[in-house]
Amino acid sequence: GPDFHQSLYCHLLCGLIFHEEIQLVSSTFAHSIVLAFRTFEQVWEELCDDIREGVLTSRITFPSVRSAMAKLLKPNPELADLIEKKCSRLSNWYGLIPELFPNVKYIYGIMTGSMEPYLKKLRHYAADVPLISADYGSSEGWIGANINPSLPPESTTYAVFPNIGYFEFIPLKENVEEHMQENGNVSFLSTEPKPVGLTEVKVGEEYEVIITSFAGLYRYRLGDVVKVMGFHNSTPELKFVCRRNLMLTINIDKNTEKDLQLAVEEAAKLIAEEKREVIDFSSNVDVSADPGHYVIFWEISGEVSDEVLKECCNCLDRSFVDAGYVSSRKVNAIGPLELRVVWKGTFHKILDHYLGLGAVVSQFKTPRCVGPTNNKVLQILCDNVAKNYFSTAF
């Protein structure tokens, strides 16, 4: 269908019609699966009405989609009653997926890196259904296979496909003494470490991945940071750490997407006590005034008191443990962190913005660090701020 929201509604409706035949719930990214079931929470009663009457809701406006659905949708009051009963007895939608689809075997998709923040919600929907992280790939080509799919997504490692391309790895921690001996004292700090081959990586070290592929890429830097966790036979097993270019920095501070994620997880524990959750988040470096400061945007699932949100703001500030950030905060070279709580639905507007530019929802990733070149997304976030707080942690 031409409209994502209408397609998703029909997709959910088809899932309910064939609920006993569903054996797998999958999407490219975990975000899409969570989005689908968050949508289900909003429209489930309308879906039941469609099934009971055998008539598709008027919200679906495209004739080709209505025609396709008319072939599947017949009046079925028994199924509508069953779904209503199942949904009504769930506690805060826990275990929604196995309740709707009793024969589902597992849930599959990319769940590492920027998708990790959605795991908690996905587990809530999945209950005991296993989550299996997909293989490690990128737009530029495949890199590795998840050879231990029974492990939780947070522990997933990928064995590199040694014959799918030629891989090199730039060490992120170089041996300074070794480098000085090779290059003399002159400018070793400005010299990037030499890439190492597939068999020369060391367990426990972090690297940036370079790929030379059959498709024509030559020594292409993926921008992915990986950690070598071991070897499968002779090929390294990699754990995805973060994207290298996504970084919050003002002067000597360097905080990655992973650092941001850990800070948000720590602060989110404070609202979890009030049975609230962070639906989504992003960040920005505000240097419009001196000194510059970090801005964290949160969309929250319900109302939270000002006192708790002030403490969340302080917790976020304290959770960035990078030495450059902490020392800069102590001498006020970086200003107090700002937490901006946005209205519910703000991150949906960001999704709609990217869909309007031609993006595919299954490939969508929430921008975790909104730079100055991404004016439209920053404008959406800033235009939808409901409350804001400044840290008093330092």
Side-chain angles (χ1 to χ4, degrees), residues 111-129:
M111 299 178 188
T112 51
S114 60
M115 293 301 124
E116 273 192 36
Y118 305 109
L119 283 178
K120 185 178 179 184
K121 189 65 176 178
L122 194 51
R123 283 201 172 95
H124 183 81
Y125 287 137
D128 296 329
V129 178

Side-chain angles (χ1 to χ4, degrees), residues 119-184:
L119 283 178
K120 185 178 179 184
K121 189 65 176 178
L122 194 51
R123 283 201 172 95
H124 183 81
Y125 287 137
D128 296 329
V129 178
L131 304 184
I132 296 180
S133 194
D135 293 338
Y136 178 19
S138 65
S139 305
E140 294 80 19
W142 287 106
I143 297 152
N146 178 4
I147 54 170
N148 298 301
S150 60
L151 290 176
E154 295 90 341
S155 304
T156 298
T157 59
Y158 304 98
V160 178
F161 296 124
N163 60 343
I164 207 162
Y166 183 75
F167 293 96
E168 296 170 277
F169 300 87
I170 300 174
L172 295 190
K173 286 182 183 174
E174 59 179 310
N175 185 318
V176 173
E177 286 181 16
E178 208 175 278
H179 208 85
M180 283 177 72
Q181 287 169 6
E182 285 177 17
N183 300 287

Side-chain angles (χ1 to χ4, degrees), residues 71-272:
K71 296 172 185 174
L72 300 173
L73 192 58
K74 308 292 181 226
N76 192 338
E78 294 83 7
L79 177 57
D81 290 342
L82 176 66
I83 293 164
E84 281 188 351
K85 186 179 174 184
K86 285 173 177 284
C87 290
S88 300
R89 70 186 182 202
L90 288 174
S91 172
N92 196 26
W93 301 101
Y94 178 80
L96 173 61
I97 292 174
E99 195 66 41
L100 292 180
F101 312 121
N103 296 312
V104 74
K105 302 289 192 299
Y106 60 94
I107 297 162
Y108 182 83
I110 294 171
M111 299 178 188
T112 51
S114 60
M115 293 301 124
E116 273 192 36
Y118 305 109
L119 283 178
K120 185 178 179 184
K121 189 65 176 178
L122 194 51
R123 283 201 172 95
H124 183 81
Y125 287 137
D128 296 329
V129 178
L131 304 184
I132 296 180
S133 194
D135 293 338
Y136 178 19
S138 65
S139 305
E140 294 80 19
W142 287 106
I143 297 152
N146 178 4
I147 54 170
N148 298 301
S150 60
L151 290 176
E154 295 90 341
S155 304
T156 298
T157 59
Y158 304 98
V160 178
F161 296 124
N163 60 343
I164 207 162
Y166 183 75
F167 293 96
E168 296 170 277
F169 300 87
I170 300 174
L172 295 190
K173 286 182 183 174
E174 59 179 310
N175 185 318
V176 173
E177 286 181 16
E178 208 175 278
H179 208 85
M180 283 177 72
Q181 287 169 6
E182 285 177 17
N183 300 287
N185 294 345
V186 193
S187 59
F188 72 92
L189 286 175
S190 62
T191 309
E192 194 164 56
K194 289 180 181 177
V196 297
L198 200 62
T199 58
E200 299 167 306
V201 295
K202 295 176 182 175
V203 175
E205 296 293 315
E206 293 186 354
Y207 300 88
E208 182 185 347
V209 183
I210 305 174
I211 182 172
T212 298
S213 72
F214 293 110
L217 294 174
Y218 178 70
R219 304 193 87 186
Y220 181 88
R221 296 174 70 152
L222 287 181
D224 289 357
V225 174
V226 297
K227 185 174 183 177
V228 179
M229 306 303 290
F231 285 85
H232 178 75
N233 297 327
S234 298
T235 192
E237 284 190 47
L238 309 177
K239 180 178 176 63
F240 183 90
V241 177
C242 64
R243 295 282 296 164
R244 191 173 185 181
N245 58 345
L246 293 173
M247 195 167 288
L248 289 165
T249 180
I250 293 174
N251 45 45
I252 60 169
D253 53 308
K254 287 182 174 63
N255 282 297
T256 66
E257 179 184 6
K258 187 68 176 177
D259 296 323
L260 171 64
Q261 182 183 314
L262 292 171
V264 169
E265 284 174 3
E266 192 61 33
K269 291 175 184 175
L270 298 171
I271 65 168

Side-chain angles (χ1 to χ4, degrees), residues 10 16 30 49 140 148 167 187 216 222 297 340 367 385:
C10 293
L16 295 177
D49 290 342
E140 294 80 19
N148 298 301
F167 293 96
S187 59
L222 287 181
F297 297 93
R340 297 182 187 175
V385 174

